[in-house]
């Protein structure tokens, strides 16, 4: 059986992948995009997006992603259901396996597989996801104006999110599992100088509390054995992200956390012809609009590579 040959293969159905497909289709690269296990990407775990430019009244996250997908399809991209399950970037053309069986080869590859926020793994946390439990303060903080919220974590992200939320909310609890913050000194000082942030040291969350309206609080266990409840309307996780780069890490250079390294502002990885876009290469900004922008860069870089 002949193996399917693709000029420009895009892996990942989030803002980065769809935008790459839009640009690659318009550049006549006949892109094929595999959406992976979670079409629409991380944005589909939220509700309304108010910070994506062009939507003065906000936009439903699922609608935004469905529209990006349709735009790619209408411009001629071949958008397919299916997850890439294996890759060989040591051969030319590159080879990938989809859903464990179909093999195809590609001249250029755009990796836009994203990242996933880490969660604590509590059933109650799962139950209230999107109903008060969020892993993105920048996305969802606005919905908790003048309310009380909690942020779990003690790293730079947790501190940044807590200070951001402190500007919107009445009170922000930081739930920190040790008696120190992992965050940089500058971030720690910002947190400590913010009067409406209270750090709950040595605390782990036992359960997220809620009712039919969503989150109402959290039950915490302190290291000294005390169990107590706090009342909050929002429960934000900031305990790290995990980039979906495992399949490609044997070939492309990554940082110690697994984020794919790209060359100075471009989407070029350490393997010529392999480009990375979106959260899989972005440990810092992690916003849909940044992911979309980097998808554009990847398509332009792939076009240049294919037409060289
Ligand atoms: P980090 O890995 O730096 O921090 C994770 C935090 O979550 C730690 O405080 C950790 O606790 C805590 N944590 C992990 N698992 C659990 C758990 N199961 N229960 C409770 N707490 C838990 O992740 P970040 O996302 O904060 O940062 C990632 C990288 O990005 C870092 O290198 C950071 O410096 C960088 N960054 C930089 C920013 C900036 O410079 N402005 C902004 C944001 C991120 P413990 O300390 O006990 O392990």
């Amino acid at each position: 059986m002949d193996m399917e040959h693709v000029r420009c293969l895009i892996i990942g159905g989030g803002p980065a992948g769809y935008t790459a497909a839009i640009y690659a289709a318009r550049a006549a690269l006949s892109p094929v995009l595999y959406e992976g296990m979670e079409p629409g990407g991380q944005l589909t775990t939220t509700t309304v997006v108010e910070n994506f430019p062009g939507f003065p009244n906000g936009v439903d996250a699922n609608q935004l992603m469905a529209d990006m997908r349709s735009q790619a399809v209408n411009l001629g991209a071949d958008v397919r259901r299916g997850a890439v399950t294996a890759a060989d970037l040591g051969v030319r053309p590159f080879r990938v396996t989809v859903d464990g069986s179909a093999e195809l080869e590609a001249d250029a590859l755009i990796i836009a597989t994203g990242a996933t926020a880490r969660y604590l793994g509590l059933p109650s946390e799962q139950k209230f996801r999107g109903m008060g439990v969020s892993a993105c303060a920048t996305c969802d903080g606005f919905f908790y104006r003048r309310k009380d919220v909690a942020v779990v974590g003690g790293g730079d992200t947790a501190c940044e999110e807590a200070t951001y939320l402190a500007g919107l909310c009445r009170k922000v609890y930081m739930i920190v599992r040790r008696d120190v913050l992992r965050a940089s000194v500058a971030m720690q000082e910002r947190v400590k100088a913010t009067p409406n942030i209270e750090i709950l040291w040595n605390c782990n969350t036992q359960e997220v509390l809620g009712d039919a309206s969503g989150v109402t609080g959290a039950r915490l266990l302190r290291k000294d054995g005390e169990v107590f409840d706090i009342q909050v309307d929002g429960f934000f996780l900031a305990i790290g992200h995990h980039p979906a780069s495992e399949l490609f890490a044997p070939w492309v250079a990554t940082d110690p956390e697994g984020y794919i390294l790209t060359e100075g502002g471009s989407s070029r990885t350490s393997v010529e012809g392999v480009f990375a876009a979106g959260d899989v290469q972005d440990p810092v900004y992690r916003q849909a609009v940044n992911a979309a922008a980097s998808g554009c860069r990847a398509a332009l870089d792939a076009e240049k590579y294919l037409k060289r």
Side-chain angles (χ1 to χ4, degrees):
M1 196 181 72
D2 278 349
M3 196 183 296
E4 184 183 0
H5 182 95
V6 173
R7 257 185 112 198
C8 178
L9 180 66
I10 302 165
I11 309 176
Y18 292 141
T19 306
I22 289 167
Y23 275 81
R26 293 189 82 247
L29 303 183
S30 313
V32 171
L33 180 152
Y34 279 96
E35 293 181 305
M37 309 284 275
E38 234 182 291
Q42 278 188 89
L43 215 56
T44 59
T45 66
T46 179
T47 48
V48 180
V49 182
E50 291 185 334
N51 53 11
F52 199 92
F55 299 92
N57 302 308
V59 56
D60 176 83
N62 285 290
Q63 191 59 48
L64 177 64
M65 296 321 299
D67 287 345
M68 282 193 201
R69 182 185 197 277
S70 302
Q71 193 174 347
V73 170
N74 293 345
L75 289 166
D78 183 348
V79 177
R80 303 177 184 174
R81 289 286 145 102
V84 168
T85 48
D88 184 351
L89 310 187
V91 293
R92 304 284 167 144
F94 308 118
R95 280 197 187 197
V96 305
T97 308
V98 178
D99 291 336
S101 54
E103 288 215 37
L104 45 113
E105 53 181 30
D107 295 329
L109 185 67
I110 296 176
I111 303 171
T113 45
T116 47
R118 291 204 175 99
Y119 285 82
L120 296 171
L122 304 169
S124 54
E125 170 192 58
Q126 200 59 32
K127 183 173 163 195
F128 293 111
R129 246 171 102 163
M131 289 177 66
V133 172
S134 166
C136 180
T138 322
C139 319
D140 298 327
F142 199 62
F143 304 115
Y144 300 93
R145 265 169 301 170
R146 292 184 283 280
K147 294 185 171 170
D148 296 350
V149 298
V151 177
V152 185
D156 280 318
T157 301
C159 290
E160 207 165 74
E161 304 221 327
T163 41
Y164 172 76
L165 290 166
L168 296 167
C169 303
R170 195 171 63 177
K171 168 139 198 174
V172 180
Y173 294 101
M174 281 185 80
I175 305 171
V176 177
R177 66 177 172 182
R178 292 186 294 152
D179 60 357
V180 289
L181 294 172
R182 176 184 292 273
S184 56
V185 173
M187 284 308 299
Q188 295 193 25
E189 281 172 359
R190 263 182 75 188
V191 163
K192 287 171 184 165
T194 307
N196 60 338
I197 298 179
E198 181 183 344
I199 303 181
L200 302 170
W201 300 104
N202 295 311
C203 285
N204 273 299
T205 308
Q206 279 192 328
E207 206 181 331
V208 179
L209 307 172
D211 56 26
S213 70
V215 169
T216 57
R219 180 154 301 152
L220 309 183
L221 167 64
R222 202 173 6 235
K223 271 208 186 104
D224 62 13
E226 191 193 343
V227 176
F228 63 101
D229 292 352
I230 54 170
Q231 286 181 359
V232 291
D233 294 300
F235 185 84
F236 289 88
L237 282 307
I239 59 172
H241 282 76
H242 182 73
S245 63
E246 281 90 351
L247 290 180
F248 317 104
W251 294 277
V252 299
T254 67
D255 75 3
E257 305 291 317
Y259 288 93
I260 296 176
L261 296 173
T262 50
E263 258 171 57
S266 78
S267 68
R268 292 190 304 274
T269 70
S270 60
V271 178
E272 210 187 348
V274 177
F275 307 91
D279 284 12
V280 73
Q281 52 87 59
D282 177 5
V284 179
Y285 297 106
R286 299 191 198 113
Q287 297 296 302
V289 67
N290 289 311
S294 73
C296 162
R297 279 205 294 271
L300 296 178
D301 288 343
E303 180 185 9
K304 196 165 158 198
Y305 168 77
L306 288 168
K307 293 185 175 164
R308 78 199 186 286

